[in-house]
Amino acid sequence: MDELSLRLFKFSSAGFCCAQIMYKLALEDEGTQNDDLIRAAQGLCRGIADTQQTCGVLSGGIGVLGLYAAKAKEEESAKEDFTQMVTEFHEWFNVEFGATKCVNLIGVTDFHGIDQSYKLTCAEMIKKAYVKVYEILLEHGYEYGNRR
């Protein structure tokens, strides 16, 4: 098992969901943590508020891009390439996985049932999406792991 798979397994086993894992990976890679962000991300999981709509891997990936390039303070603006990066990631996600809705991606409507096999599908999606976010950031001149 590769290092990213081990990290995913650790976070999933600890009860974190897809969007939270996307953020936890990014924060861990830069040597920081942000419990408030991880708490807030839980609402994005399982298709936003357990509605099986927009996939948490997609929204989490967009959020990680936002950590680097979105507006955070009154006196600043989003970086010029933020919208372009979000569009690139969204389009890639839709092509790569064939959908953006959780229910269409994994076909699960009961996340609390006995069958947890969907987690393998989600883990593969997280791995691919996480690598793609990393690639997009590098292509746009960001130093991954260093938002300063």
Side-chain angles (χ1 to χ4, degrees), residues 54-71:
T54 302
C55 173
V57 178
L58 174 59
S59 56
I62 290 170
V64 171
L65 293 171
L67 288 173
Y68 285 82
K71 175 183 175 72

Side-chain angles (χ1 to χ4, degrees), residues 37-99:
L37 177 62
I38 302 306
R39 277 188 206 95
Q42 189 167 0
L44 302 174
C45 294
R46 293 175 293 280
I48 299 182
D50 291 337
T51 63
Q52 293 81 40
Q53 294 300 308
T54 302
C55 173
V57 178
L58 174 59
S59 56
I62 290 170
V64 171
L65 293 171
L67 288 173
Y68 285 82
K71 175 183 175 72
K73 299 175 186 169
E74 288 180 32
E75 64 275 5
E76 70 181 14
S77 299
K79 301 256 182 353
E80 198 173 291
D81 56 357
F82 176 62
T83 301
Q84 181 183 355
M85 291 191 304
V86 168
T87 300
E88 285 175 32
F89 181 65
H90 186 268
E91 289 174 355
W92 169 86
F93 190 96
N94 200 23
V95 169
E96 181 70 23
F97 301 116

